[in-house]
Amino acid sequence: MIVISNPVAVANEISLIHSLFEEGLALFHVRKPEFTEIEMMQFIEQIKPDFRSKLVLHTQHQIADAFGISKIHFSERERNQTLLFPFESKTVSTSSHTIADFNALDPNFEYAFLSPVFKSISKENYASEINLFEAVKSRKNFKTKMIALGGISPENSKTTLENGFDGIALLGAIWNHENPVNQFILCQKIVLTYSL
C-alpha cells in the first residue's frame, strides 16, 4: 500500500509519517511540488534513516542518492518530456489518467497510478469522466502494476481491488481525516485480507 504526502505542510507531519511506517507502510511518496532542493533535503533529514529506503521522490530527483533513496516518480508531463534512464539504477513509477496511457507505458515502470478512480477527497470537483472499472477491462499492460488513486478510502478499497487494480494509494483519506493513522490501519487490513 502507498501513501502520498499532502502537497502542503500538515500539523505533526513527520511524526505521522513515522507512525505510518511503524504500522507497516510499504511506500511513502514525497510529493511536495513547491519544495526547493534545500526544503526537500530538510524535510527528508527529519525522516528516520531506517525509513528512507521506503521513500519515493516526486521532485528534486537529483538528491536521491545522497539519502539512499532508490525510488523515483515521474508525473505524466515529466514522463513525456524526460529521458528516464539516466535512472536505470532506480525503481521508477509514474502517473496515468487513461487506460490507453497505462497500456502504452514503458515496461521499466514498476507501477503507475491510474486516477481518479472515485471523486477525489483532496481535490475539489476532481473526478473521472469515465468508469475506470470498465476501462480496466481493456488492460493490456501486465508488466507495470496498476495502482488505484483518487477517492480511495476504507469504504471502497475492497471494491477497487476486486475490479482489477493491483494496489491502492491513499492521499485525501489520510490527510483530510482527523485520525490519519487509524484510516491507514483500516485500509491496510482490507488490502492484507484481500491479498491472502
Side-chain angles (χ1 to χ4, degrees):
M1 203 162 70
I2 295 169
V3 171
I4 302 171
S5 69
N6 204 50
V8 296
V10 173
N12 304 313
E13 188 168 18
I14 299 297
S15 172
L16 286 169
I17 292 166
H18 286 154
S19 295
L20 293 171
F21 280 130
E22 285 157 8
E23 290 295 339
L25 175 62
L27 291 173
F28 184 77
H29 277 242
V30 182
R31 185 179 166 271
K32 299 284 187 181
E34 304 300 319
F35 271 15
T36 64
E37 181 175 326
I38 289 171
E39 288 169 327
M40 185 65 79
M41 291 172 84
Q42 289 169 339
F43 183 84
I44 293 169
E45 281 166 355
Q46 297 175 76
I47 295 173
K48 292 177 184 173
D50 288 356
F51 297 138
R52 291 182 191 163
S53 65
K54 298 178 179 188
L55 298 179
V56 183
L57 285 185
H58 277 233
T59 56
Q60 309 299 344
H61 298 152
Q62 70 281 2
I63 70 167
D65 288 342
F67 291 96
I69 296 171
S70 63
K71 298 167 186 66
I72 303 286
H73 186 86
F74 291 94
S75 69
E76 195 167 34
R77 185 175 39 84
E78 287 171 322
R79 181 180 77 241
N80 295 328
Q81 294 174 349
T82 309
L83 183 63
L84 290 186
F85 298 100
F87 295 105
E88 61 254 325
S89 63
K90 304 275 186 247
T91 300
V92 290
S93 58
T94 191
S95 300
S96 59
H97 297 91
T98 68
I99 194 66
D101 283 347
F102 179 86
N103 283 335
L105 289 174
D106 184 299
N108 284 301
F109 287 107
E110 171 126 339
Y111 59 91
F113 298 134
L114 183 59
S115 69
V117 177
F118 300 101
K119 187 171 185 279
S120 175
I121 299 167
S122 60
K123 294 180 185 174
E124 211 171 305
N125 300 319
Y126 184 57
S128 181
E129 294 174 13
I130 61 162
N131 180 336
L132 282 182
F133 290 152
E134 278 303 309
V136 164
K137 291 176 184 174
S138 61
R139 178 182 184 181
K140 293 179 178 62
N141 176 358
F142 292 93
K143 296 220 183 261
T144 303
K145 289 183 189 131
M146 187 168 50
I147 308 298
L149 175 64
I152 307 297
S153 69
E155 294 74 33
N156 60 31
S157 296
K158 185 170 187 281
T159 303
T160 304
L161 295 168
E162 287 172 344
N163 277 279
F165 285 88
D166 300 312
I168 60 172
L170 307 173
L171 199 164
I174 299 293
W175 305 113
N176 290 18
H177 197 272
E178 60 189 23
N179 192 334
V181 176
N182 191 51
Q183 283 290 93
F184 171 78
I185 291 168
L186 288 173
C187 283
Q188 182 172 245
K189 278 183 186 164
I190 292 161
V191 170
L192 291 175
T193 302
Y194 185 81
S195 60
L196 293 176

